[in-house]
Amino acid sequence: MSVERTFSIIKPDAVAAGQAGEILAMIQKAGFKVLGLRMTRLTETQAQGFYAVHKERPFFEGLVKFMTEGPIIVMALEREDAVKGLREVMGATNPANAAEGTIRKRFAANIERNCIHGSDAPETAAQELAFFFSTADLL
């Protein structure tokens, strides 16, 4: 295994519920180093661009609406096997199927409002990191 970077978003539902600190603590406890972190709010255009891969899916419009309803926290994270490791800490996309002790099992309301996003592959992580962070941000 090698050290790699991944990207994550604490979504508007978790930020509004005051769960961001606990979610970040779980991520750090799992061995992730935080390289970059900031609170921001997506415009509709930004959300459409970020989730463009899902443009043809029936849930796209609802996802864009959800992701623009309030502040989010974007994170650049690093550790060995980061992409796979973060997905394990997050749990299944549908919290009903998530393992005990995962972020989504603990905090997510349902499959649509599932409190956290994480990159699904190293290539995706690189694109998502570049969407929110400059190279200088992550030195």
Side-chain angles (χ1 to χ4, degrees):
M1 283 188 266
S2 63
V3 173
E4 66 182 12
R5 291 179 175 179
T6 193
F7 174 77
S8 185
I9 299 173
I10 300 176
K11 294 181 178 181
D13 55 334
V15 173
Q19 299 164 333
E22 290 177 85
I23 290 170
L24 181 57
M26 289 176 73
I27 291 168
Q28 289 181 301
K29 188 175 180 183
F32 287 89
K33 179 180 177 183
V34 177
L35 301 176
L37 178 142
R38 81 170 169 277
M39 184 177 280
T40 189
R41 190 163 182 158
L42 291 175
T43 66
E44 185 175 346
T45 301
Q46 288 170 321
Q48 288 170 343
F50 185 77
Y51 288 106
V53 67
H54 300 301
K55 188 175 173 107
E56 302 305 320
R57 297 254 176 92
F59 60 81
F60 179 73
E61 286 183 34
L63 177 61
V64 169
K65 183 176 182 196
F66 165 53
M67 291 302 293
T68 58
E69 75 182 26
I72 60 171
I73 296 174
V74 295
M75 298 176 285
L77 305 169
E78 183 178 78
R79 76 160 223 198
E80 284 193 13
D81 209 13
V83 172
K84 182 177 182 235
L86 181 62
R87 297 196 65 79
E88 289 171 359
V89 172
M90 290 186 332
T93 303
N94 184 345
N97 301 330
E100 289 298 326
T102 62
I103 292 169
R104 287 181 174 144
K105 187 67 165 186
R106 185 164 173 203
F107 298 109
N110 55 52
I111 195 168
E112 287 89 19
R113 301 178 75 79
N114 62 13
C115 75
I116 191 166
H117 164 87
S119 301
D120 61 4
E123 300 78 22
T124 310
Q127 293 170 349
E128 293 177 346
L129 286 164
F131 192 92
F132 286 98
F133 295 99
S134 72
T135 304
D137 289 333
L138 304 179
L139 293 178

